[in-house]
Amino acid sequence: MFKVGKESCESFKYLGLDLSQENETIVLSQQDYVRMLKTVLIDKDRVKTSPLSSSEQTLLRSKIGQLLWLARQTRPDIAFDVAAISSKIKSSTIEDLKKVNKIIRKMVEVRVVMLCFLMGDDGKVNPITWQSKKLRRVVRSTLASEALALADGVDLVISLAALFKELMHNENDLMHTPVDCFVANKDLYHAIYSDKPVGEKRLRVEINAIKQLLQGGELKKVKWIQTNEQIANVLTKHGASGQDIFTLF
């Protein structure tokens, strides 16, 4: 037993998040959090290739932490740029601080409310999550990088499907929780549905794991789409527009 400090409903703030519920729609935004973000003062005489001092690196870590929280909760459109900067803190330069300032200015100028949970007229609920991170191992080809990303994504979405199933129906099987995946790499699509194994032996493990999930019914299908239809581009490419993601909401 423990004492609950405060209970709220319908509209409230929690850890920098603004949550509100209207009918069957839950809206999650961080507009107030964005307004609190401040850029870093940089001496105009500093060369962009100059390494950061210890105190500047600490400041950079702080700003990256603030932006990562924003990217992981409501702003997938900045996820790639923030992840790219965070991966090189030890060798960071003035240019990285300037990039952080640019992202902060973008957040302040472009305020977007993201809907993280939706329920349609048909009663279907769509929990949404996203990630932008480095691959878990070095790869030798685009096919391998796409396959690893798909494998990690499949693992995440199947666990979410299982959780959703348990919460909504108190069941652990996935037979009635279809999971669809969409890829923009045609070679990966063909590798998954082909009987011919790929050349890279380590890659075969990932491909075969996906094939087994398809055969077992945990994964309903993997579908190939055009690159310009891939809304996840903003999570993998610098400068990609997040507008496609925003239009979903």
Side-chain angles (χ1 to χ4, degrees), residues 124-178:
K124 294 182 179 179
V125 178
N126 299 298
I128 300 169
T129 186
W130 53 82
Q131 289 185 4
S132 181
K133 61 181 183 179
K134 294 178 67 175
L135 292 173
R136 46 190 157 89
R137 68 175 175 86
V138 177
V139 296
R140 297 183 296 176
S141 65
T142 302
L143 173 60
S145 65
E146 295 279 355
L148 281 177
L150 176 61
D152 287 347
V154 167
D155 181 65
L156 175 61
V157 75
I158 286 180
S159 66
L160 286 176
L163 177 61
F164 172 70
K165 184 74 172 181
E166 186 175 354
L167 289 173
M168 299 300 294
H169 306 289
N170 195 27
E171 299 176 11
N172 293 320
D173 69 278
L174 299 174
M175 296 306 294
H176 302 292
T177 309

Side-chain angles (χ1 to χ4, degrees), residues 67-87:
L67 292 173
L68 280 174
W69 172 243
L70 187 62
R72 290 169 179 168
Q73 301 303 315
T74 60
R75 294 302 299 263
D77 57 314
I78 67 170
F80 176 80
D81 289 335
V82 178
I85 297 173
S86 66
S87 67

Side-chain angles (χ1 to χ4, degrees), residues 222-234:
V222 176
K223 182 180 179 180
W224 175 78
I225 58 175
Q226 296 282 353
T227 301
N228 58 5
E229 297 177 327
Q230 179 56 277
I231 62 173
N233 282 336
V234 72

Side-chain angles (χ1 to χ4, degrees), residues 77-118:
D77 57 314
I78 67 170
F80 176 80
D81 289 335
V82 178
I85 297 173
S86 66
S87 67
K88 49 176 293 187
I89 288 182
K90 292 183 179 180
S91 59
S92 54
T93 64
I94 289 296
E95 184 177 15
D96 295 310
L97 271 182
K98 290 183 176 181
K99 288 179 180 178
V100 164
N101 280 347
K102 184 177 180 180
I103 296 173
I104 292 175
R105 284 192 290 269
K106 174 183 177 181
M107 294 300 93
V108 174
E109 294 169 0
V110 183
R111 294 171 183 165
V112 181
V113 175
M114 298 295 294
L115 305 181
C116 287
F117 295 90
L118 300 176

